[in-house]
Amino acid sequence: MKHEKKFSRRISISLWLPILMVVFVLIVGVCMMESQPILAYILIGVAVIYLTASIIFYEYFERMISNELVDAGFHQSQLYKSMMVDLPIPYVLTTVEGTIVWHNDLFEKMVGRKVNKRNLSQIFAVLHKKNFPQIGSNKVFSLTYEDKNYEVDCRCISVISQEENVAEENLEEVKTQDEYLQAFYFFDVTQLEEYKDISEKKRLVAGLIYIDNYEEVLENMEEVRQSLLLGLVERKIVKYLQSMDAIVKRFERDKFIFVFQQKNLEQMLSDKFVLLDEVRAISAGNELSMTLSIGVGLNGTTYQQNFESARTAMGMALGRGGDQAVVKDGDSISYYGGKTQKVEKTTRVKARVKAHALREMMISHDTVYIMGHKNPDADCFGAALGIYRLAKTFDKKVFLVMDKDSAAIQPIVSNLEKGGIEDVAGMFLTNEEALFRKDPHCMLVVVDVNIPSMTECPGLLKNIKNIVVLDHHRQAAETIKNAVLSYVEPYASSSCEMVAEVLQYISDKPKLKPIEADALYSGILVDTDNFVVKAGVRTFEAAAYLRRAGADVTRVRKMFREDQLHHKVRAEIIQSADIFMDEFAIAEFYPGNLSGATVVGAKAANELLNIQGIRGSFVVTQLPDYIYISARAIDDLNVQVIMEKMGGGGHLTVAATQIREKTMDEVVETLKGILLSMKEEGEI
């Protein structure tokens, strides 16, 4: 073979080298004949004797070395062959096309039949030639064969370097194939995976249970019945968790901690945390139903990480309004429940604490940036103006990072310009200007949004350290995580309501201008659909404060009057709506160059709920760069979870999403598919 010929040539050169040196000595001796004849004859004589002996020994040793090499090669070949045949794992060689050319006994025993000249893909479909690795690389496949799991290591090897391992009867066949073969090593990992599965199921899961509305429920009950209700709730929690073989302990009057093996989590997920419904159904003379929030953390590297994941999950559950379970599995987050509105808090302690903290932050910073979400609406802009006036009270430089040309806020901006309030043009900054002008002594207040990607300028969140979040939307998996102060209350009707409450608790008592009060009032009005949706006691109290500050209902109504074209378009949307599954209204809206298309679509979605039997309405609007869905529902349907499955979010009854790089037909089909699957699974 080629490599053996090279090896023999190197040996021949090493044996001939002394002979060549003798020839050189003879030449030197001949040259010295005239000057030193005696020495020359001696050199020539010795050289001739050595040359003769070297040739004799070369002939003898060359045959001996060759015989030794042949013998060693034979034994090595037999050793390799024996090693491959007796390899303790199934092993097979195939051509690059997948045809089997050689295998050991264990492979034949594994498949239970003769396999020579068959294609490997006929036995294992996953081992198809299109999946084979390229030259000089390898691939690992996982497959199941006759109830056993195998990990298959496939390597592309040279025929020349491996052909000695092939049985003699297949050698000639291999030589006629391509220059490369595929070698497959089958490792039986059945038992290993069983051990992994057992270990996985025995891992500990940490969980937290909070009673959401502990004080609100008890304050409206007779004292004698309070202990009965709490006893029933605790018994229901303990009984449910003990059925999962869990250890549960109450560590505060309304908080529980539990741990159990991961194998029991499957039962919780399959029954979709039925404990939430069981506790909500408990009645012991209570006017309000008691609700729970559950946070579960698993698959951390330590028990401490699992507990931290459970705390994070609990924060998500509370931030989304409570009455639901959140499971945090590493970076993956799953939601269960959330079918009821969060109970409005009667106490304003939290609002007062947040107001004081916001005041201290503003006093310690020179510049305040205020940012909302893309395509700002009345609630977003009204809340921003309220914070703007608060910062101006402390004599700070204030800028709004917002698109003032947005159709939804154009009436408010026009009123500001007409009302002579400060330099309106100087209030606003573009994204580029805000990123350029930021400095170490500035702070950022984000209003009406808590999802980073939906903010007007996500880059500001990374470049400013001191961030405040004021929002009334339920939190999703993606949230602003580096906020120094976060005030997110899903029970609130609007961000304007929250800002109005904060302004009342600022000791310096900022004085709103009537136009600013109008803006805050209009935000509440739009988000509550004229005090119809999510309007609680505190909503009306915030509206009363704004009325005292100079807000005028008539002025606000005139500010948001629609032109005749918008009325006609809205009527056309309602008329074209398709009733899906007898309870969902879905309308496709192509606005063309119509301004304020999203607002028109949202209003149409609100009106579609007036149709008898409709639980949820969805207006799908085709905009130039993306498709926008406005989702609305009666309170027994959670449209937030529906929109989250499409990349959006919102409230239980008011939600939306933006979808890019898809057609209208694709979006509508996706929406219908989600509604159908959630209906079949009992989620809606």
Side-chain angles (χ1 to χ4, degrees), residues 252-422:
E252 288 187 27
R253 60 181 185 176
D254 57 349
K255 295 179 176 64
F256 300 80
I257 184 172
F258 62 92
V259 292
F260 61 98
Q261 292 183 346
Q262 190 165 319
K263 63 181 180 181
N264 295 315
L265 180 63
E266 297 177 4
Q267 183 179 340
M268 278 188 171
L269 301 182
S270 63
D271 65 27
K272 300 185 187 305
F273 292 86
V274 70
L275 177 64
L276 298 172
D277 299 323
E278 291 177 352
V279 170
R280 197 185 311 114
I282 294 176
S283 177
N286 48 307
E287 296 179 4
L288 296 175
S289 296
M290 191 163 275
T291 62
L292 303 179
S293 289
I294 303 175
V296 177
L298 65 150
N299 284 332
T301 55
T302 64
Y303 295 149
Q304 180 65 27
Q305 282 191 6
N306 282 350
F307 180 68
E308 290 301 322
S309 293
R311 290 181 58 186
T312 302
M314 178 56 71
M316 296 293 298
L318 295 174
R320 292 164 58 86
D323 188 32
Q324 59 193 281
V326 178
V327 178
K328 189 174 189 301
D329 182 355
D331 294 330
S332 174
I333 298 178
S334 304
Y335 305 99
Y336 300 86
K339 299 179 181 179
T340 60
Q341 290 278 16
K342 185 171 181 179
V343 177
E344 183 181 31
K345 302 289 185 181
T346 56
T347 175
R348 291 188 177 84
V349 174
K350 190 173 183 179
R352 176 173 55 80
V353 171
K354 299 294 184 182
H356 178 73
L358 178 60
R359 176 184 181 277
E360 295 301 316
M361 285 189 66
M362 281 191 173
I363 289 175
S364 60
H365 291 84
D366 299 331
T367 308
V368 179
Y369 294 98
I370 306 169
M371 178 171 68
H373 53 75
K374 293 182 178 69
N375 299 316
D377 54 16
D379 185 38
C380 178
F381 188 47
L385 281 180
I387 300 298
Y388 175 89
R389 179 50 53 200
L390 176 60
K392 280 294 184 181
T393 302
F394 301 129
D395 199 25
K396 304 295 180 181
K397 292 185 290 185
V398 196
F399 301 99
L400 304 184
V401 185
M402 203 169 288
D403 180 14
K404 69 182 181 69
D405 297 323
S406 175
I409 65 172
Q410 198 55 51
I412 306 176
V413 175
S414 299
N415 271 16
L416 289 176
E417 293 171 343
K418 294 175 184 176
I421 188 173
E422 286 104 346

Side-chain angles (χ1 to χ4, degrees), residues 121 496 620:
S121 62
C496 286
V620 188

